[in-house]
Amino acid sequence: MCYAIPGKIILIDGKFVTLEYFGEKRKARNEFYDIAIGEYVYAQGGFIVQKIEESEALPLLEIWKEVFVVLKERDLRLVSEPKTLYQTANAKRQQVLGNSCCVHGIIEFSNYCVNDCLYCGIRKSNSKVKRYRMSIEEILAATKDAVSRLGFKAIVFQSGECPYYTDEMLIDLVKSARALGILVTMSVGERSIESYKKMYDSGARSVLIRFETSNKKVFGKIKPESDFDKRINLIKALRDMGYLVMTGFLIGLPGQTEQDTMEDIKLTGELQTEMFSFGPFLPHPETPLKAEKSPSLEMCLNTIARARIMFPESKIVVTTAIETLEKNNGAKAGLMAGANSLMVNITPEKYRCCYEIYPERACNDVKVEDRIKYVINLLNSLGRAPTDIGI
Ligand code: 5AD
C-alpha cells in the first residue's frame, strides 16, 4: 500500500512547483532535488520528498486513477445535507480539502523523560515503567522497514525529553531518514533553537510539539517545570524557521473548561499549524492525576468539528488517544466529524507497550500490518484516499 500518489511536475517557479494529479493542480515546495518539468515526484505536507521514475509512476497512477474516482464518489455520497455540527464540519472538510487523508507512521524511540508532567505515564517519577532507548541504528532499521516494506512517506520520530540523544545523534537520524525519501517529523520536546536548526538543516521539515493547554494556570499546575511562554515562543520560532508545525492540546485536563478548549483551538490555528493534534486526557494510574476522569468521546468529536469549522484548511488528526477512548468507533467517528488524518504506530512491538503515556493505548498489541489493513479498509469505506498530495 502506498501513502502518496505520484504527481507530475507541470510548472517550476524557483522553489515552488505545481504538480498535477488526475487534472487537479497542487503546489509543493522543492528543497531537496534537481527536477524538471514532466518528471514525477511524491509530495508530503507540501514538500517534495521523493523523485520517482516515470516507469514506476505510470502503473501506480493507472491503479490510483480508478480508485480515486470511486473513493471521491463514495465520499460525496456520505456527506449528507449538513444538519448537525459533525455533518457541517465533515462537509467543510470535503469542500475545502477533498477526500485526501494523510497517514503518518510514528516511531516512539525512547520513553526516558527528564520532565515530571502530572498527566504523563512516562514522567520521570514513574519508576514502574520499563524504560528503553532505541539506538539510532535500531530506529533506522524500523524506518527502512516502514518505508520500503510498508510504503510510508511520512514518519514522526517521537520520544520523551531525553538528553541522551545528542544533537549529533539526531542529525544522523534525520539525514539517514530523509535520504529514504520521506517527510521527517521530529517530536522530541523542548530542545534549543540551535538544535532544531541543525535538524532542519539536515532535512527535517516538520515538528510535532503540543502546547498542551492555553490556560496558563492549568499549564503551571500540570507542567510544573515548564514555562508556557517559552514553549509557545519555541513553537513560533520553529514555524518561522520553516518547519511545518503540528501542535495542539489535551482535552479534559483537571481545571480545564469547555471555554478553555475553544481557546486551545484558537491558539492552535493562530500558530499557523499544518496539523491539529489533540486528544483526551486519559488518567494514568502511576501519576498524581490517577483519580481524575477522562472526557467523553462527544467532547473530543465536538472539538474536532469546531476546529474544522474555525480553521477549514487545517489537517486534523484522529489521535490514538481518541481511538483509545472509543476503541471500536473512535477513528470513524473522528473522520466523520471533520478530521482527515490518522496515525499508525510503527514502533517495534517489543517497545510499544513501554511507551505508556496513558494506559491501554489502542493498537498497542495490534500488528502493524493489521493496523494498516484496518486503516485502509476504514478509509476505503468512507471514500477517503490515504494520500497527501500537497497544498
Ligand atoms: N493522556 C493523554 N495524552 C497524554 N499525553 C501525555 N500523557 C497523556 C495522558 N495521560 C500526550 C501529551 C504529549 C503527547 C506526546 O502525549 O499531550 O504531548
Side-chain angles (χ1 to χ4, degrees), residues 46-301:
F47 285 100
I48 290 179
V49 295
Q50 204 179 117
K51 258 170 87 162
I52 115 163
E53 291 296 327
E54 187 175 21
S55 56
E56 212 184 312
L58 293 181
L60 285 170
L61 284 168
E62 205 48 48
I63 300 171
W64 270 113
K65 197 174 172 179
E66 276 173 39
V67 176
F68 212 60
V69 175
V70 173
L71 291 176
K72 266 198 164 163
E73 280 171 4
R74 192 169 297 153
D75 180 35
L76 271 173
R77 250 184 292 125
L78 285 171
V79 172
S80 43
E81 186 61 35
K83 291 196 188 84
T84 65
L85 174 66
Y86 303 159
Q87 287 169 351
T88 307
N90 191 29
K92 193 50 107 192
R93 182 272 311 157
Q94 184 186 68
Q95 179 199 337
V96 179
L97 297 169
N99 70 336
S100 66
C101 181
C102 46
V103 183
H104 291 240
I106 180 163
I107 299 179
E108 297 149 343
F109 63 89
S110 169
N111 66 354
Y112 277 88
C113 192
V114 294
N115 287 327
D116 227 3
C117 305
L118 266 61
Y119 49 90
C120 187
I122 61 168
R123 66 199 302 264
K124 69 171 175 219
S125 299
N126 181 6
S127 54
K128 295 224 172 116
V129 70
K130 197 171 147 219
R131 303 279 171 178
Y132 70 94
R133 287 186 199 109
M134 289 170 68
S135 67
I136 300 299
E137 291 71 34
E138 251 181 318
I139 309 171
L140 283 171
T143 310
K144 277 181 194 148
D145 185 52
V147 174
S148 58
R149 189 171 61 89
L150 304 170
F152 283 90
K153 299 280 185 296
I155 295 187
V156 180
F157 295 95
Q158 188 172 86
S159 68
E161 273 183 33
C162 183
Y164 164 84
Y165 296 95
T166 59
D167 286 355
E168 286 64 38
M169 288 162 84
L170 293 184
I171 286 167
D172 199 19
L173 170 64
V174 171
K175 278 191 181 152
S176 308
R178 225 335 275 148
L180 299 171
I182 54 169
L183 177 69
V184 174
T185 299
M186 299 306 283
S187 181
V188 290
E190 291 183 38
R191 292 180 77 100
S192 68
I193 299 279
E194 295 74 43
S195 174
Y196 272 108
K197 177 82 174 85
K198 287 185 209 162
M199 290 189 263
Y200 186 90
D201 291 341
S202 310
R205 282 294 176 274
S206 159
V207 287
L208 168 55
I209 176 168
R210 292 180 175 173
F211 56 82
E212 312 294 9
T213 170
S214 60
N215 181 326
K216 285 192 185 188
K217 236 165 122 186
V218 174
F219 186 98
K221 281 201 184 131
I222 56 148
K223 272 181 96 56
E225 301 126 314
S226 307
D227 180 80
F228 177 80
D229 292 324
K230 191 171 158 228
R231 197 164 175 95
I232 294 292
N233 286 337
L234 173 65
I235 295 174
K236 287 181 179 164
L238 297 178
R239 174 198 67 198
D240 295 344
M241 208 181 274
Y243 276 110
L244 298 175
V245 171
M246 307 183 183
T247 189
F249 48 88
L250 285 161
I251 304 168
L253 283 166
Q256 228 180 14
T257 63
E258 201 167 337
Q259 184 56 37
D260 286 332
T261 304
M262 292 301 282
E263 293 297 328
D264 291 341
I265 297 174
K266 228 173 110 204
L267 178 57
T268 311
E270 283 167 1
L271 288 166
Q272 291 162 23
T273 304
E274 161 77 3
M275 186 187 279
F276 278 65
S277 167
F278 52 76
F281 154 67
L282 300 166
H284 188 289
E286 297 301 326
T287 64
L289 301 183
K290 62 181 174 203
E292 302 291 340
K293 281 206 173 72
S294 51
S296 63
L297 179 69
E298 191 190 355
M299 182 65 202
C300 297
L301 298 178

Side-chain angles (χ1 to χ4, degrees), residues 67 70-71 74 78 375-386:
V67 176
V70 173
L71 291 176
R74 192 169 297 153
L78 285 171
V375 166
I376 297 303
N377 285 338
L378 174 66
L379 295 182
N380 189 34
S381 72
L382 298 181
R384 310 288 178 92

